[in-house]
Amino acid sequence: MDPLVIDVFDALGSPMFRLPYTSCNWSDTINDPGSLNVDVTYTTTTMKVPKGLYNQLKLWGVILAAHRYDPATDSEDVKHAGPLVDYRWDAKGRRLSLSCGGGWSLTSVRLVLNHALDTGWVDGDVLVDDEHPAGAWALTLTGSYSDIARGLVAEAMKWGALPITLPPVQGGTRTRTYSGYDVAKVADRLDDLAKLADGDEIRFDPRIRPDGSLTFDLRSQPEIVDHAWLEGGTLGAWHADLPGQRIVLSSVDGKGSGMTNQVYAIGGKHGDKTVMARVTDKHSALPLLIQSADTTHTTASELATLRAYAQSGIAYGAYPDETYSIEAGEEYPVRPGDQADMWVEDDFLGERMLKLKVTDVSGSSDSDWLTIQARERS
């Protein structure tokens, strides 16, 4: 494989310089920014970076990308990229540690605000009632869930450019109205969409264009699957049961703390009224009634929306939270969302084929192995 390199881009994705680094590691997760951590030990080469690293590596002012050339596609395979959000300089050890988010992190610095508020902004009381309609304080988006996610990001980009490429409009009948006086972050509203029972999976995939610039492709789909290693499929299943395969089952963790078969969801409060919804799994195989509360959607005002969140809790809580940890050679281009059928022969699990969905992928510059977290596909 070609060596992994770290390139530095400015806040809008224009290339700046290649960063000499000592080590790095990255992690990607479904519906999450992920992370990239880079360590730089000061050497003569590092000191030659134009203007010096302190002057160049400004928080939220640069984006770091870990990538290597992929001859199969004749393009750069970006493992992870994200804005610089933290750093630590160890003066005694002459070591600089850089922490980056992901493309999703860019939406955490923008609020869900109708851009019409920009020119008409006036400090003071906000009156919203029958005599004072919400006007620009409301941002109404329609279409598919992908269109609503696109609309949230597109409105954020009206306040100032971001290195994000938006997907085409799909069309649909779903509607969401966001109140500006909630001053919610775009990232949080995207997370709300992803948590709906019928919501999309959302990713911001980094891509280096032919001109050398970097962009994050917004993807919002019911299920994002880049690769499928399935029994009888084109790529074939994974075989952790055969010697010589660079696929290894490392561990299985089962947790029951999130299990439930009756969810109470609490929404927003309007005057002396609070919206509430309850969903019960009447066909649950659990031997006990396990009640749980979801209080994370305090801005949800529509009962149908609140029910969708409660239904999502039922779907996730119907089974134990079983996580499969797998090690795979980097020749497998695994991404969060991918599907795999994996054969195992194990003292605990026995001999069986696991039908998995990849949720997390991490790697580092000092190994050609990936660490994968997966759960069984429903």
Side-chain angles (χ1 to χ4, degrees):
M1 288 187 177
D2 280 29
L4 187 76
V5 298
I6 304 290
D7 277 341
V8 179
F9 301 81
D10 69 16
L12 296 182
S14 294
M16 294 176 61
F17 61 92
R18 181 151 294 174
L19 179 66
Y21 72 98
T22 308
S23 64
C24 78
N25 60 77
W26 68 90
S27 178
D28 277 326
T29 305
I30 290 178
N31 301 330
D32 190 85
S35 63
L36 170 65
N37 299 295
V38 180
D39 284 341
V40 178
T41 301
Y42 263 58
T43 64
T44 303
T45 303
T46 312
M47 303 278 287
K48 291 181 180 179
V49 171
K51 300 181 182 178
L53 291 184
Y54 177 74
N55 295 313
Q56 295 273 38
L57 299 178
K58 296 300 183 182
L59 298 177
W60 292 103
V62 296
I63 298 170
L64 271 61
H67 63 97
R68 63 161 52 98
Y69 175 72
D70 181 5
T73 60
D74 190 26
S75 62
E76 293 299 320
D77 177 19
V78 184
K79 301 299 182 183
H80 191 89
L84 179 64
V85 295
D86 293 297
Y87 72 81
R88 184 177 189 276
W89 167 240
D90 176 4
K92 287 185 177 180
R94 304 183 73 217
R95 178 168 136 170
L96 179 65
S97 297
L98 307 170
S99 298
C100 304
W104 194 307
S105 302
L106 295 170
T107 66
S108 71
V109 296
R110 296 287 165 86
L111 301 177
V112 182
L113 292 172
N114 190 328
H115 187 245
L117 289 169
D118 190 19
T119 54
W121 181 270
V122 178
D123 290 350
D125 295 332
V126 178
L127 301 177
V128 178
D129 54 31
D130 292 339
E131 296 181 2
H132 304 86
W137 282 103
L139 174 64
T140 299
L141 303 171
T142 60
S144 65
Y145 281 138
S146 174
D147 293 338
I148 294 172
R150 181 190 191 279
L152 284 168
V153 178
E155 197 69 21
M157 293 171 70
K158 292 179 183 179
W159 290 85
L162 293 171
I164 296 174
T165 299
L166 301 174
V169 174
Q170 296 179 346
T173 58
R174 302 186 187 279
T175 300
R176 286 291 185 278
T177 297
Y178 298 99
S179 301
Y181 46 77
D182 290 333
V183 288
K185 293 183 177 182
V186 175
D188 292 336
R189 291 296 171 257
L190 292 174
D191 185 60
D192 286 342
L193 287 175
K195 285 179 177 176
L196 289 166
D198 58 346
D200 280 4
E201 293 177 356
I202 299 174
R203 285 202 337 221
F204 289 82
D205 288 347
R207 172 172 56 91
I208 296 178
R209 298 187 179 102
D211 66 359
S213 63
L214 178 83
T215 188
F216 293 93
D217 294 326
L218 169 60
R219 298 176 65 186
S220 178
Q221 301 165 214
E223 192 168 21
I224 300 175
V225 182
D226 291 327
H227 310 95
W229 289 272
L230 305 180
E231 185 76 3
T234 304
L235 298 177
W238 290 348
H239 281 273
D241 58 333
L242 298 177
Q245 303 295 307
R246 298 232 301 168
I247 294 286
V248 179
L249 175 66
S250 300
S251 64
V252 183
D253 291 301
K255 297 179 180 178
S257 58
M259 298 180 71
T260 183
N261 47 20
Q262 190 175 79
V263 176
Y264 292 78
I266 295 86
K269 180 173 286 190
H270 299 276
D272 57 353
K273 297 180 181 179
T274 300
V275 184
M276 296 186 67
R278 184 183 77 177
V279 175
T280 304
D281 184 358
K282 297 179 180 179
H283 305 288
S284 172
L286 297 177
L288 295 173
L289 173 66
I290 303 179
Q291 297 176 319
S292 63
D294 183 351
T295 61
T296 60
H297 308 292
T298 54
T299 59
S301 59
E302 296 183 9
L303 188 57
T305 301
L306 203 58
R307 279 203 188 106
Y309 287 125
Q311 189 62 53
S312 177
I314 287 290
Y316 283 105
Y319 303 96
D321 181 10
E322 291 182 327
T323 302
Y324 296 83
S325 295
I326 300 157
E327 294 180 11
E330 222 179 299
E331 62 270 19
Y332 295 93
V334 187
R335 297 285 189 185
D338 286 352
Q339 297 178 352
D341 294 340
M342 187 171 78
W343 286 99
V344 298
E345 287 184 7
D346 181 75
D347 291 338
F348 178 60
L349 299 177
E351 183 178 349
R352 66 177 63 200
M353 183 177 71
L354 302 171
K355 293 182 174 291
L356 302 174
K357 178 180 179 64
V358 175
T359 59
D360 304 76
V361 179
S362 59
S364 66
S365 58
D366 57 2
S367 173
D368 62 353
W369 285 81
L370 299 172
T371 299
I372 298 166
Q373 304 290 326
R375 57 175 172 80
E376 288 200 74
R377 306 194 299 273
S378 57

